[in-house]
Amino acid sequence: MGKVLQALGLAVALTGAMAGVAAAQPTEVRIGVALEPPALDPTAGAAEAIDIVVYQNIFEGLTRIDQNGAVQPGLASEWTISEDGLTYTFKLRDGVTFHDGTAFDAEDVKFTFDRILGPDSVNAHKEFYEPIETVTVIDPLTVEMKLSRPIGMFLFDLGRGDAVIVAPESADNNANEPIGTGPFAFLQWDKGSRVILEAYGPYWGEPAHLTKATYLFIGDTATMTNALLAGDVDGTNNFATEALAVFEGNPQFKVLVGTTEGETILSTNNKKPPFDDIKVRQAMAHAIDRQAIIDGATYGYGVPIGSHFAPHNRYYVDLTGTYPHDIEKAKALLAEAGLPDGFSATLKLPPVAYARLSGQIIASQFAEVGIKLELINVEWAQWLEDVYANHDFDLTVISHVEPFDIGNYANPDYYFGYDNPEFQALIETLNGTTDDAKRKELAVQAQTILANDAVNGYLFELAQTGVWNAKLEGMWQNSPIEGLVLRDIRWVQ
Amino acid sequence: MILFTLRRLIGFAVTLLLAALVIFYLLDLLPGDPAQFILGINATPESVARLRTQMGLDAPAHERFIGWLWGMVQGDFGISYTQRAPVAQLIWDRLGVTLPLSVFAMVISIVVGLPLGIVAARRRGKALDTGIMVLAQTGVAIPNFWFGMLLTLLFAVTLRWLPPGGFTPWHEDSVAAFRGLILPSLALALPQASILARVMRTALVDVTGQDFIRTARAKGLTMGEAVWRHGVRNALLPVLTILGLQFAFLVAGTIIVENVFYLPGLGRLIFTAISERDLILVRGATIILIIAVTATMLLTDIAYAIVDPRLRERSAP
């Protein structure tokens, strides 16, 4: 063993001699992210990992969503909306170029939306843009869109990663060589390892502070912790809550706790007995102790929710008191539903820590009122097929991370199996309303219906917990849309 | 010898064909749909169906199997579903990490394990022997990932001599690439070195009692000379067998080690591809690994036959 130690010592001495700890360049940043995107085209895939790298960095839309979730001008500097809410006329910015040097103009906008709506489209959110009837090029810097019906969220939807503007010259290669108009251009992708972006010189807008940004793909929490501590990565936008304590109180790091759009819910198969009985769902709602779940599954970082809506949204209404935690009441409701001894059901859990932990806690809470849950761990692909596509489930725990996705409840074929004509009419009205005060009123009504019907078990809003080098500024604290926007990130000495 | 080699080669080909069959049909039974995975939780059934058609997933299984096999014979492993890039290229890029990693680990385990085994055998029953064997026992018991973590904590987090993980491509900076593989190779080599030390010790102890050593001693060689010239050579036979077998363990170990050190290797590629149901990529990579492992065993067999002529007379199973 002495020899082993000697050999080790020698190896270390040799490499130690070669190693100089690379001082972080004050204009470059290395970011650790848990998942590697399968491809880099946000208009042809739903993975959040894609938007984390490209959204607002490489690609831009006609509008962009800011840190507070508000719509700002993007590649369109201004727009007018007709009285009936059906015709949108966009003025485009002049002098914008794609990273391959080709000019951006109205033709690219038309191409982008024709591609989304075309017969071969594999856009993950085609339904958002389905109401676009025609896209007309008025002149190189003016585009007119005609809708078949008014959409209250249209400007927001144009700011999503799914609707970023791509060019006919490069769109086919965006999966592996993304070409956009954003402040950062794609430099290289060492698959399995990292993606490197560099600042794009001829960018039309406010130039970014950074010259280079590298995304490193580190899936393991302990490894990410070591990489941060060793200074090999400068930060991560979302770090596992169970290990946050390592960085809190460490002056070399800052922990940014913010909100996300992730409503974490106990999704319930409303079409399947006994869950088709509202009394059973109400009993389940009373059996849930949200704070215990938040403490156990997110180490206290989640925010309780009582309906399917993000607490930081200005239309939010707190409905957590609709069915307070009350074991006796839950038992009484089960008895009323003809199930005095409770019942048995399965709970399918996808491979994310918050879901697996929540599932175990919910199982113990339900056991107190006589509901016996069998926990079944599934992989993502299996979850998507069994639960989401085939509706083959009783209960599952999942975070719905799409912004403003309450409209899913208006789709009777959605995996919740919730079919309520009153709610469907309400959402249709909401979608067609552009007046803010009216929209808020309708959104509050929608939230209240879902809470009262106890469609799903509403648990908590996921928090975004970033860990960054203390000398970095300008990261988004909240995540109102999927992405990790580099535009404002800079080093301050 | 030629007949022996030929028989082994035919066995090798049959094994590969069977493996291809099993891999293809087993993965086809896995629940999960790559198209659904790509389009995610808000996609309409129509979009998913369209993507399935575009990826050629709606053809019957046997057609896809024949197509896949025929493509591979011509060196075409297909296009990855999720990454939209040629599978062969993706695998080739990853071998630039996994191959050196496995080789370094193998070399380290030989350079460390064999001498320790020889020393222990020569000092049989003494404190040094006991000490080495206790260490070897511990080395086998410690999981790769945990040892990797310890190495990272010491050399990357505390001392900052080596990176905690990640990989710089060889052509960019070969020194940095090499440095990135040091800790993972050590983590991967530890259990292998321990096994080799134990096997070497046992084999050498067995050999020491045999007639030819006595003959060598009678010819006036010291015990050390006799063991070194005649003993070690004969003891290498069982070690060779273990080395062949170890290759498969090394490959399995790389999956874990590559995850701990976030290396862009083949193990991690397969791991991700399985979770994303990128079946064509999983199949291609698995076949490559099976070829590597079975070829190693084939070569071990042949090497064995060269070293020990008695084996050639036996019929191959």
Side-chain angles (χ1 to χ4, degrees), chain B residues 129-148:
Chain B
D129 175 30
T130 317
I132 290 175
M133 284 305 110
V134 167
L135 276 176
Q137 195 59 47
T138 318
V140 175
I142 290 179
N144 276 342
F145 71 91
W146 191 72
F147 186 59

Side-chain angles (χ1 to χ4, degrees), chain A residues 401-430:
Chain A
V401 295
E402 292 284 340
F404 210 86
D405 52 6
I406 194 166
N408 284 333
Y409 288 79
N411 173 5
D413 297 326
Y414 203 66
Y415 80 108
F416 308 147
Y418 178 63
D419 191 354
N420 177 348
E422 184 202 354
F423 185 84
Q424 287 153 21
L426 182 69
I427 290 292
E428 195 163 339
T429 317
L430 172 62

